[in-house]
Amino acid sequence: MQTPTELAAAYRSQGRKLTPQRQLLFQLMHGNDKHPTAESLFAEATAQMPGISLRTVYQTLNELAEMGELQFIDIGGGATRFDPNLDDHHHVVCVDCGQIRDVHVNGTAALKPVGIEDFTINDVGVVFQGVCSTCEKSRAKSHKTAHAKSPAQQAKISK
Amino acid sequence: MQTPTELAAAYRSQGRKLTPQRQLLFQLMHGNDKHPTAESLFAEATAQMPGISLRTVYQTLNELAEMGELQFIDIGGGATRFDPNLDDHHHVVCVDCGQIRDVHVNGTAALKPVGIEDFTINDVGVVFQGVCSTCEKSRAKSHKTAHAKSPAQQAKISK
DNA sequence: TTCTTATTCGCACGACTTGCTAATTAGGTT
DNA sequence: AACCTAATTAGCAAGTCGTGCGAATAAGAA
Ligand SMILES: [Mn+2]
Ligand SMILES: [Mn+2]
Ligand SMILES: [Zn+2]
Ligand SMILES: [Zn+2]
């Protein structure tokens, strides 16, 4: 995703208006590597702009996606995650707490799909599933003791 | 997923009952490479057993997943797809009609994630995005003419 | 056949996202 | 500075997908 300033120019050149809501969301998403959901972004936005609506967050994220400024990530059955990182990269998901981390992958060019001669391939996505160090520790401590789940974990599990 | 006969034995050995609904779903899923949604499976089941409920389809798919007999596939924002194929394989998605095809991938062992030393990786999934030959033809015909969309396309697009 | 308990099924409900629209506002025009 | 008008916002209804719940039913053992 471009910088808030660059986006401002892009918006104006497309006849779109530059509202305070949009400017705030540009800031919150620019360089954001947390892969937030619309709800979590809405929470952050509300802290700085009480009254902003969840509907506007969804609308802005959708228009940024249409403009090619960010991508959607759908993993598991929970909410869609939004990613302003347009570099060629992939993801690792902690199956315990649900966090998504960026990861560069060496070797994707060597991936050879077999048996789909009738498909024109445009893109490849790689998703690693694992457990992050924090969750690994939690597991070590409580072998059988259930430990408190973070909101992210709740979400992941409720899926 | 095991054969309906093998599943019957597995179910009994676990104190689960063998109902007509379950037996039908075992048949419909065994060797099924269509990656159906719960709804589409429900439609097929209803043809042979009018009155079976969608709730039962979901319940049976969930219990088969718990038993490790099938996996869930979440791609895009639509419904979860169910896959009885337990072999080490990956998927290709037609971004036009939404169909999912199995694909074996050479080179996954050589994939090297960079920058996640603090993760314990358990699994890797590769998803190719492309256009199937059927959709490719449709595109060629109607360069600018909208062509009728199949249910799968509708679903994919409505996302 | 009887009994116990798992299962089915329908409906309500929850999570997530979009459709709709009246009120508001950005930003160009006079 | 006041005005105009199309774009945007916000809130609520509605749609999709999946699950919780409980009364009725049925599998399978006794
Ligand atoms: Mn990313
Ligand atoms: Mn498959
Ligand atoms: Zn974790
Ligand atoms: Zn296709």
Side-chain angles (χ1 to χ4, degrees):
Chain A
M1 197 177 96
Q2 302 180 68
T3 64
T5 303
E6 293 171 322
L7 283 175
Y11 264 62
R12 275 198 264 261
S13 74
Q14 292 177 38
R16 298 182 192 269
K17 293 178 178 176
L18 209 57
T19 67
Q21 290 90 341
R22 283 173 173 170
Q23 293 182 53
L24 172 57
L25 292 170
F26 293 170
Q27 291 175 206
L28 292 177
M29 283 303 287
H30 186 245
N32 188 325
D33 63 355
K34 297 297 180 54
H35 308 92
T37 63
E39 290 276 0
S40 67
L41 191 61
F42 172 61
E44 283 186 60
T46 298
Q48 294 188 227
M49 186 185 285
I52 189 174
S53 79
L54 176 59
R55 191 70 187 77
T56 297
V57 174
Y58 273 111
Q59 269 171 195
T60 303
L61 289 170
N62 279 326
E63 79 196 5
L64 283 170
E66 281 171 28
M67 292 169 67
E69 296 290 338
L70 53 76
Q71 59 173 316
F72 290 178
I73 301 179
D74 285 291
I75 294 179
T80 298
R81 319 281 297 241
F82 300 90
D83 191 349
N85 185 347
L86 300 178
D87 295 344
D88 177 29
H89 72 289
H90 299 276
H91 299 97
V92 200
V93 184
C94 174
V95 297
D96 202 345
C97 67
Q99 77 167 288
I100 297 180
R101 190 87 68 75
D102 281 336
V103 59
H104 286 86
V105 182
N106 294 326
T108 56
L111 289 178
K112 297 296 176 188
V114 180
I116 52 166
E117 296 73 27
D118 56 334
F119 264 81
T120 304
I121 302 302
N122 299 310
D123 193 33
V124 184
V126 179
V127 176
F128 294 88
Q129 305 244 40
V131 181
C132 73
S133 59
T134 303
C135 290
E136 197 68 72
K137 290 171 190 166
S138 301
R139 290 188 173 188
K141 282 186 189 174
S142 54
H143 270 259
K144 294 180 180 177
T145 307
H147 60 280
K149 299 284 184 294
S150 73
Q153 289 176 311
Q154 300 287 6
K156 185 65 182 177
I157 291 169
S158 70
K159 199 269 308 188
Chain B
M1 197 178 97
Q2 301 179 70
T3 65
T5 304
E6 293 171 322
L7 282 176
Y11 264 61
R12 275 197 262 263
S13 74
Q14 292 177 40
R16 298 181 192 268
K17 293 177 178 175
L18 209 57
T19 67
Q21 290 89 342
R22 283 173 173 170
Q23 293 181 51
L24 172 57
L25 293 170
F26 293 170
Q27 291 174 205
L28 292 178
M29 283 304 287
H30 185 245
N32 188 324
D33 63 355
K34 296 296 181 54
H35 307 93
T37 63
E39 290 276 1
S40 67
L41 191 60
F42 171 61
E44 283 186 60
T46 298
Q48 294 187 230
M49 185 184 286
I52 188 174
S53 79
L54 176 59
R55 192 69 186 79
T56 296
V57 173
Y58 272 112
Q59 268 170 196
T60 303
L61 289 170
N62 279 327
E63 78 195 8
L64 284 170
E66 281 172 28
M67 293 168 66
E69 298 289 338
L70 53 77
Q71 59 173 314
F72 290 177
I73 300 179
D74 285 291
I75 294 178
T80 298
R81 318 281 296 243
F82 299 89
D83 192 349
N85 185 346
L86 300 178
D87 296 343
D88 177 29
H89 72 290
H90 299 277
H91 299 98
V92 200
V93 184
C94 175
V95 297
D96 202 346
C97 67
Q99 76 167 289
I100 297 180
R101 191 86 68 76
D102 281 336
V103 59
H104 286 87
V105 182
N106 294 326
T108 55
L111 287 178
K112 298 297 175 188
V114 179
I116 51 166
E117 297 71 29
D118 56 333
F119 264 81
T120 305
I121 303 302
N122 300 310
D123 192 34
V124 184
V126 179
V127 176
F128 294 87
Q129 306 244 39
V131 180
C132 72
S133 59
T134 302
C135 290
E136 197 69 74
K137 290 172 190 166
S138 301
R139 291 187 173 189
K141 283 185 189 175
S142 54
H143 270 260
K144 294 178 181 177
T145 308
H147 60 279
K149 299 286 182 293
S150 73
Q153 289 177 309
Q154 300 287 4
K156 185 66 182 175
I157 291 168
S158 70
K159 200 271 304 187

